Amino acid sequence: MYIRSFADSNGDGLGDVNGIRSRLPYLRDLGVDAIWINPWYPSPQADAGYDVADYRDIEPAFGTLEDGKALIAEAHELGIRVILDIVPNHSSDQHAWFQAALASPPGSPERARYLFRDGGGPDGSEPPNNWRSVFGGPAWQRITEADGSPGQWYLHLFAPEQPDFDWENPEVRAEFCDILRFWFDLGADGFRIDVAHGMVKDPAFPDIDYPADDALLAAHTESRPYENQPGVHDIYRSWRQVAEEYEPERIFVAEAWVPTAHELAAYVRADELHTTFDFTFIRTAWEPADLRARIQTSIDAHESVGAPVTWTLSNHDICRHLSRFGRPQEHRSADPLHVADNGETDVALGTTRARAAILLLLALPGAIYLYQGEELGLPEVEDLPDDVLQDPIWLRSGHTNRGRDGCRVPLPWTATGSSLGFGSNGSWLPQPTEWTSLAAEVQDTDPGSMLNLYRRALRIRREELVGSEATMAWVDLGSDVVAFDRGDDLRCVINLGSEPCPLPDGEVVLSSGDLLDDGRLIPTDVAVWLRPG
């Protein structure tokens, strides 16, 4: 969950730890069995907490370490595990280590924890290479040495306030193993690993031939010298050993953007990580042949290493899937994943498809991560005023890329109030007025709401599919229909054609929309779970 946008307990407009605690019963009733919390560590918030100043405490704006301990304990009492977010590629420039590096000379042990390099050109005034920041602009920042002279350059693949660690340094590796143990000892059940494909860089630091349009989370059709390097796997083998020190064993889920499903599966080999997000549904158009092919490729790749697929539709970095599904789909695979530049959004169409998509996702074998607010059917907020945007992408792109704030708008809990129940005194990003009808309290008593569709689907999945050894087998019901069986007891059918299709024989368990012709036809963009007859 995106902590700053989930629930605000003290009226400062920012979500916090105690806000999450207050909504744990809602999460239990929704049917989730774990929560992933975005970084809650002390941070200057240059990148919403992904610039960590201290990995062993909680940001005061979010609460205290005692609040965090209480959250973990209370979640466990409700049967909910707690997964924290670890940010190992870089720290904040306010981290004590980086401040020590700035105060120390070139070649010192303090600088060796980060990627400092001499500049190019006769006077060192050029960056060491042409690498770009993911957020826009160059990936190198020159410092002023303690004596006031122009100094070395440091690498920051994200914002300048986020200097990259040097993971060839044994001290860095030992430090992060200790950080993992610190939180595991406090009861954390695991970690999501930010930029898990990063950390290790090609030691030659070669220049890159960038495409003209190189946006955040673009196609990833090939790995760059700072992505998906073989050395990352040695790091995760050591982390797996740390997780295995605990009973029950702690777990990891990686955010790894890599070119192919088989490269992704390498992260979850038996001696490495437990799970890694599979971004199939983020990269795939709402089109039957593409969906079938990509789902099968992901399953095959993970089965080759004996690991489950971990599916997701959205997260805090990506345009909400309801809005993605409401746009022209012929451009979907090439569209930068967090901006709306390929057609106007049809929210009603996106809502219909989002209802079908969650039934597709939850019927698949593997693990599922939901992003807060998708269970309410929240669309991307595409008209935030320029003066409220806070994502560093907005600044670093010269105000040409609006960034990720549109998927981070605080949740509507009630139909009234200054922030629709998010807090008592406004919210850090404004909520659309039309969200009053999407508030959790409004949907709670509506049997046909998105919220209650999620609740029913999660309950059926938990009761009938979780832990099941039931295999998945595709069912041919025509080129416009995606259909498969999970064992002998559950069939998932999604009509992606332009015309209604016949409902197969069987008992309907759940449908994402109303059926036609007295229940004999499945409308376009509707999914059905049934027990085959």
Side-chain angles (χ1 to χ4, degrees), residues 254-327:
E255 180 212 26
W257 290 91
V258 298
T260 69
H262 284 279
E263 288 173 275
L264 185 66
Y267 286 76
V268 287
R269 289 175 290 199
D271 60 344
E272 295 189 40
L273 303 175
H274 305 78
T275 58
T276 184
F277 291 118
D278 183 289
F279 296 120
T280 291
F281 289 100
I282 290 167
R283 291 167 153 161
T284 305
W286 188 247
E287 190 278 325
D290 201 16
L291 280 170
R292 281 191 294 265
R294 290 187 182 234
I295 289 169
Q296 190 61 57
T297 297
S298 291
I299 291 173
D300 289 345
H302 284 74
E303 284 184 349
S304 72
V305 295
V309 187
T310 301
W311 311 99
T312 188
L313 288 164
S314 291
N315 64 36
H316 64 289
D317 284 329
I318 297 161
C319 173
R320 286 187 176 275
H321 66 267
L322 184 147
S323 292
R324 297 201 316 268
F325 290 147
R327 297 178 189 157

Side-chain angles (χ1 to χ4, degrees), residues 282-287 290 324 327-337 339 341-344:
I282 290 167
R283 291 167 153 161
T284 305
W286 188 247
E287 190 278 325
D290 201 16
R324 297 201 316 268
R327 297 178 189 157
Q329 293 298 291
E330 59 269 22
H331 303 300
R332 174 87 290 277
S333 295
D335 179 36
L337 302 179
V339 295
D341 64 354
N342 66 337
E344 190 170 329

Side-chain angles (χ1 to χ4, degrees), residues 303-448:
E303 284 184 349
S304 72
V305 295
V309 187
T310 301
W311 311 99
T312 188
L313 288 164
S314 291
N315 64 36
H316 64 289
D317 284 329
I318 297 161
C319 173
R320 286 187 176 275
H321 66 267
L322 184 147
S323 292
R324 297 201 316 268
F325 290 147
R327 297 178 189 157
Q329 293 298 291
E330 59 269 22
H331 303 300
R332 174 87 290 277
S333 295
D335 179 36
L337 302 179
H338 58 288
V339 295
D341 64 354
N342 66 337
E344 190 170 329
T345 302
D346 183 334
V347 173
L349 175 63
T351 300
T352 299
R353 288 174 170 173
R355 290 176 66 93
I358 191 58
L359 294 198
L360 167 60
L361 197 75
L362 291 175
L364 293 170
I368 311 295
Y369 277 77
L370 312 175
Y371 178 48
Q372 64 184 46
E374 69 171 82
E375 80 282 5
L376 301 177
L378 299 186
E380 184 85 353
V381 182
E382 298 174 332
D383 58 354
L384 288 169
D386 290 356
D387 61 356
V388 306
L389 297 177
Q390 300 189 25
D391 192 335
I393 296 173
W394 172 242
L395 176 64
R396 296 278 293 173
S397 68
H399 295 175
T400 61
N401 185 328
R402 294 176 62 80
R404 301 161 292 176
D405 288 325
C407 66
R408 299 175 173 183
V409 175
L411 299 187
W413 293 97
T414 64
T416 58
S418 65
S419 61
L420 304 182
F422 167 71
S424 60
N425 191 29
S427 59
W428 70 280
L429 284 174
Q431 301 152 307
T433 55
E434 58 267 26
W435 278 17
T436 56
S437 64
L438 300 177
E441 73 167 6
V442 174
Q443 296 198 42
D444 180 61
T445 56
D446 177 3

